[in-house]
Amino acid sequence: MSDNPSAEPWQRTVVLPSERGTSRLVTDDLLEQLGLYGWPQDEIFGIHLAAEEALVNAAVHGNKLDPAKRVHVECHVSPDLVRLTVTDEGPGFDPEAVPDCTRAERLEFPSGRGVMLMRSFMTRVEYNPRGNSVVLEKRRGVAPSPAE
Amino acid sequence: MATHRRIDVSKTGDVSVVKFLDRKILEEAAIQELGAELFALVEVDNRKAILLDFDGVEFLSSAALGKLITFDRKLKTAKGRLKMCGVAPGILEVFQVTKLNKVFDIRTDATEALTAF
């Protein structure tokens, strides 16, 4: 809880079960804090989208919805920076190996857009070497720079 | 006639106009339900001209995009036509960065979309 948003960053660590529909346990608070810190609606949209994609990826693809595994989330919100770290307990993956969903032959595939959307709306998206943890960062007013 | 929980369906001439009842389309269960209701418009009701009116929708996730793509493919296979309108700026940006604006026929509003059928 932050009664004086301008003074201190809001930080929270959340551990989620690997179930569908649990992302709201993070995003509801995150959206509230973004509003309190005065983030513009268009940037809140992109942050919400990136967070949703990362949280679903971690539970569904990372942990394969294994009830024994957890998704670990660290949130940091300040007036000019949002940082989310989402870590699953799966084996990890190579984000560079995800096919480009905008290529003509992939355009009508119904899945595979999560990582691309994160990169499109956040300033920095960085996976650890194992590929089971991603840092999503958005600097206020700074346009995203999607990876090639 | 099927009962819908995620969409509202009306007719304007030959076009079925579909509006979404959720402002945010992101919960997995809701997306599954939405997909089933959309697919039934093609597979059960045999509707051939469908306008998806996104007026009031503020957010959708990539899982929802997947349902829209599958819906579009089902309709194309049935020789039907799909158009979209009323897409909020953020969602339009999602369509643009994923290049789905090249797959979907997106119009500004319902009037423009209906005359384009």
Side-chain angles (χ1 to χ4, degrees):
Chain A
M1 186 70 81
S2 174
D3 294 322
N4 184 1
S6 61
E8 295 285 334
W10 175 77
Q11 303 195 68
R12 178 156 299 177
T13 299
V14 185
V15 179
L16 300 174
S18 299
E19 296 169 9
R20 295 184 190 274
T22 55
S23 58
R24 283 190 65 176
L25 298 173
V26 172
T27 56
D28 281 358
D29 285 345
L30 176 65
L31 293 175
E32 183 187 352
Q33 292 300 321
L34 289 169
L36 288 173
Y37 281 90
W39 280 72
Q41 277 306 316
D42 60 331
E43 295 195 332
I44 291 176
F45 176 92
I47 295 162
H48 184 191
L49 183 61
E52 184 70 27
E53 300 295 336
L55 292 164
V56 170
N57 277 356
V60 176
H61 301 300
N63 287 347
K64 310 282 186 205
L65 298 175
D66 181 344
K69 292 178 177 170
R70 299 282 180 267
V71 176
H72 306 262
V73 188
E74 292 171 37
C75 308
H76 171 109
V77 178
S78 69
D80 56 3
L81 176 71
V82 173
R83 184 187 302 115
L84 288 177
T85 304
V86 180
T87 305
D88 61 61
E89 296 177 356
F93 80 113
D94 178 4
E96 304 309 319
V98 177
D100 180 355
C101 63
T102 64
R103 290 173 64 102
E105 69 273 16
R106 304 278 314 179
L107 211 47
E108 295 193 48
F109 274 53
S111 60
R113 292 178 177 77
V115 175
M116 191 265 192
L117 287 170
M118 288 183 234
R119 286 183 166 146
S120 298
F121 286 92
M122 301 301 276
T123 319
R124 183 168 79 96
V125 176
E126 202 168 293
Y127 282 85
N128 66 347
R130 177 172 148 187
N132 71 323
S133 181
V134 62
V135 178
L136 306 172
E137 211 169 83
K138 175 66 182 171
R139 290 192 178 276
R140 187 165 176 168
V142 177
S145 51
E148 292 302 315
Chain B
M1 188 62 72
T3 305
H4 298 121
R5 282 161 45 96
R6 300 295 167 193
I7 54 176
D8 173 71
V9 185
S10 61
K11 272 274 207 173
T12 301
D14 293 333
V15 180
S16 297
V17 179
V18 177
K19 293 188 176 181
F20 299 89
L21 299 181
D22 296 301
R23 288 190 303 122
K24 296 186 178 187
I25 306 173
L26 56 86
E27 296 285 349
E28 173 69 19
I31 289 170
Q32 292 299 337
E33 223 170 34
L34 172 65
E37 292 180 9
L38 288 175
F39 300 164
L41 296 177
V42 182
E43 296 171 335
V44 179
D45 300 347
N46 289 314
R47 295 172 193 256
K48 300 289 187 193
I50 299 177
L51 171 61
L52 296 184
D53 187 344
F54 283 82
D55 184 39
V57 179
E58 298 170 359
F59 187 91
L60 54 76
S61 67
S62 69
L65 290 180
K67 292 296 181 195
L68 295 176
I69 291 165
T70 304
F71 176 60
D72 181 54
R73 281 165 51 181
K74 286 179 185 291
L75 194 52
K76 281 176 179 163
T77 302
K79 306 275 189 259
R81 289 167 298 155
L82 173 67
K83 297 189 191 304
M84 299 180 178
C85 70
V87 181
I91 297 173
L92 192 59
E93 193 176 350
V94 170
F95 285 142
Q96 286 164 344
V97 299
T98 54
K99 297 196 175 162
L100 288 172
N101 58 330
K102 296 177 189 296
V103 175
F104 302 137
D105 185 355
I106 303 171
R107 306 292 176 136
T108 306
D109 54 36
T111 306
E112 185 195 326
L114 287 167
T115 55
F117 271 97

